[in-house]
Amino acid sequence: MSDNKLTALDALFGELKETKSDDKDKVMKANVKYLIPFKNHPFKLYTGRKFDEMVRSIKEFGILQPIIVRTFISDSVQFKDQTIETNKYEILAGHNRWNAAIAAELDEVPIVIMEGLSDEEAMLVVIETNLLQRSFADLSYSERALVIDEHYKSLKSQGRRTDIINQVKEILDSKNSIEDETCGHDVHKSNSRDQVGEEYNLDGRTIARYIRINKLCVGLKKFIDEKSISFTAGEQLSYLSEENQLYLVDILNNSKLKVSPVKAAALRKLEEANNLDEDGIKNVMVENENKQEKTALQGIKVKPNIVKKYFKENQSAKEVENIIDKALEFYFSHNKE
């Protein structure tokens, strides 16, 4: 079936309507129900006041910047004894606009279709459009890790990457934006993590840590974003198998235990020796917890001014110890909760 016939059938089913545009990339109109979010979209979406403001803006001015999509074949229907593939469009840039358009009760949204993208290239578009419209500093730790890791991996196809980014820039620059201001992110050719770091003003070691952080499961990334787990500990935990990472998430969600860099290093050591499972994770967590408490108690000392306040200089250490023991026994027996 020719492209012209497909376009006509799309129009028949109300999927696409071409709008007037002098731009290289044609702006089409698509019903909101034919758009679907990018699989495993990695960035936080607007909520609360920011989302409400976008909805109000769309109600007043409409969607000024088209949503960037790629074709997603989802189903087939029968039409006059013919089987016709019905397209849906996977959103690469514009998830917030799409959600706000639905909230504003719009039936159609403007889209630009980017064809012929692999999954890796589609992810690159998702990342680049977010960076072009948001500052790197505005991203969470896990989002930064994804951005850096994807950029690092994309160096092997630098030429194709540059072509895609330039196309995205042309689409964004040629339309008015209702998103956040751009961050002036530039693309540099590079062949090492140190050169990748130049894009984000980070040293090579930090870049390497971000790449490791991106290997964590979603649950552990959440703890990183919440600063419940440090970057140093997170890097060590990234060497755990996915199964053991999930065990650890479950333990942390159902206890008050915390992962210190020491615990994380102990877990990694057992993992590398192929000697780590759910029970092993629990043992490391509890054992290290008890050691920390024991170490803290061993470090307690009575200050000299307190000793002088309650004891005579000629009293022996043994006498002082016995008196303190009796005093504490009396205190705790009369202060039970």
Side-chain angles (χ1 to χ4, degrees):
M1 186 177 292
S2 69
D3 291 340
N4 289 335
K5 288 182 179 179
L6 277 175
T7 302
L9 288 170
D10 284 343
L12 177 64
F13 284 98
E15 290 189 37
L16 285 180
K17 295 178 183 177
E18 188 172 339
T19 62
K20 292 182 179 180
S21 175
D22 296 326
D23 298 314
K24 177 182 176 182
D25 299 281
K26 290 182 179 180
V27 178
M28 314 293 285
K29 284 279 189 178
N31 192 298
V32 293
K33 69 181 180 181
Y34 288 106
L35 272 62
I36 60 175
F38 187 75
K39 184 179 180 181
N40 298 323
H41 184 256
F43 296 100
K44 295 191 299 292
L45 298 176
Y46 293 168
T47 57
R49 181 178 177 181
K50 197 166 189 177
F51 179 74
D52 293 339
E53 288 175 350
M54 177 172 276
V55 173
R56 284 195 294 271
S57 176
I58 286 176
K59 284 182 177 179
E60 184 174 356
F61 303 108
I63 295 182
L64 305 179
Q65 186 183 81
I67 296 170
I68 301 176
V69 302
R70 68 170 175 169
T71 304
F72 185 89
I73 306 298
S74 62
D75 203 356
S76 298
V77 297
Q78 288 296 124
F79 178 72
K80 293 184 178 180
D81 299 325
Q82 297 182 64
T83 300
I84 302 171
E85 292 178 327
T86 58
N87 294 337
K88 285 196 173 181
Y89 301 93
E90 188 177 29
I91 301 171
L92 303 181
H95 289 79
N96 289 306
R97 277 164 275 157
W98 177 57
N99 287 332
I102 294 173
E105 300 182 342
L106 297 188
D107 293 326
E108 297 179 329
V109 292
I111 66 169
V112 170
I113 304 173
M114 294 186 70
E115 298 286 10
L117 298 179
S118 66
D119 289 344
E120 183 181 52
E121 291 165 346
M123 174 62 84
L124 181 60
V125 173
V126 173
I127 290 172
E128 287 299 331
T129 51
N130 270 274
L131 282 178
L132 287 165
Q133 295 172 320
R134 289 201 289 169
S135 166
F136 181 75
D138 292 336
L139 303 179
S140 67
Y141 291 122
S142 62
E143 289 172 337
R144 294 179 196 176
L146 171 74
V147 166
I148 289 172
D149 192 26
E150 288 295 328
H151 276 189
Y152 187 69
K153 288 188 295 186
S154 71
L155 295 178
K156 60 187 177 183
S157 54
Q158 183 67 37
R160 177 60 173 150
R161 174 192 177 203
T162 302
D163 291 342
I164 291 171
I165 293 171
N166 288 339
Q167 185 181 356
V168 168
K169 283 185 175 181
E170 287 178 11
I171 294 171
L172 295 180
D173 291 345
S174 63
K175 315 294 186 302
N176 292 321
S177 174
I178 61 171
E179 299 276 9
D180 292 344
E181 64 276 8
T182 63
C183 66
H185 175 73
D186 293 321
V187 177
H188 306 287
K189 290 187 177 181
S190 52
N191 55 17
S192 74
R193 69 188 184 202
D194 293 305
Q195 289 171 309
V196 172
E198 290 178 7
E199 291 193 44
Y200 307 102
N201 195 28
L202 299 172
D203 60 45
R205 185 71 188 92
T206 303
I207 291 293
R209 279 186 170 171
Y210 270 117
I211 291 173
R212 292 303 316 178
I213 293 298
N214 196 46
K215 298 182 184 299
L216 293 172
C217 67
V218 174
L220 290 180
K221 285 180 180 177
K222 183 180 178 182
F223 284 115
I224 294 287
D225 288 339
E226 294 172 349
K227 299 182 179 180
S228 299
I229 296 178
S230 70
F231 241 54
T232 302
E235 181 183 11
Q236 297 292 327
L237 296 176
S238 71
Y239 291 92
L240 272 57
S241 68
E242 183 178 3
E243 183 179 25
N244 282 333
Q245 288 186 32
L246 293 175
Y247 283 148
L248 179 58
V249 170
D250 187 59
I251 291 170
L252 294 175
N253 283 334
N254 292 283
S255 71
K256 294 182 179 180
L257 296 172
K258 300 293 184 182
V259 183
S260 67
V262 173
K263 293 179 185 178
L267 291 171
R268 177 185 174 181
K269 186 176 181 179
L270 288 174
E271 178 76 41
E272 292 177 341
N274 294 317
N275 193 28
L276 188 64
D277 55 17
E278 185 174 10
D279 290 335
I281 294 172
K282 290 178 181 177
N283 290 337
V284 168
M285 296 294 291
V286 174
E287 180 183 355
N288 280 273
E289 195 79 11
N290 292 337
K291 282 183 179 179
Q292 288 178 358
E293 291 176 0
K294 184 177 180 181
T295 301
L297 289 174
Q298 287 177 338
I300 294 176
K301 294 182 179 180
V302 180
K303 293 182 179 180
N305 61 325
I306 295 178
V307 174
K308 290 181 180 179
K309 182 177 180 181
Y310 295 104
F311 301 99
K312 298 176 182 178
E313 291 185 1
N314 60 352
Q315 286 182 291
S316 66
K318 186 66 175 177
E319 287 178 307
V320 171
E321 184 180 317
N322 288 335
I323 293 172
I324 290 176
D325 182 46
K326 291 179 181 178
L328 289 173
E329 183 180 352
F330 177 83
Y331 173 82
F332 283 110
S333 64
H334 289 77
N335 287 276
K336 293 180 180 179
E337 294 184 356

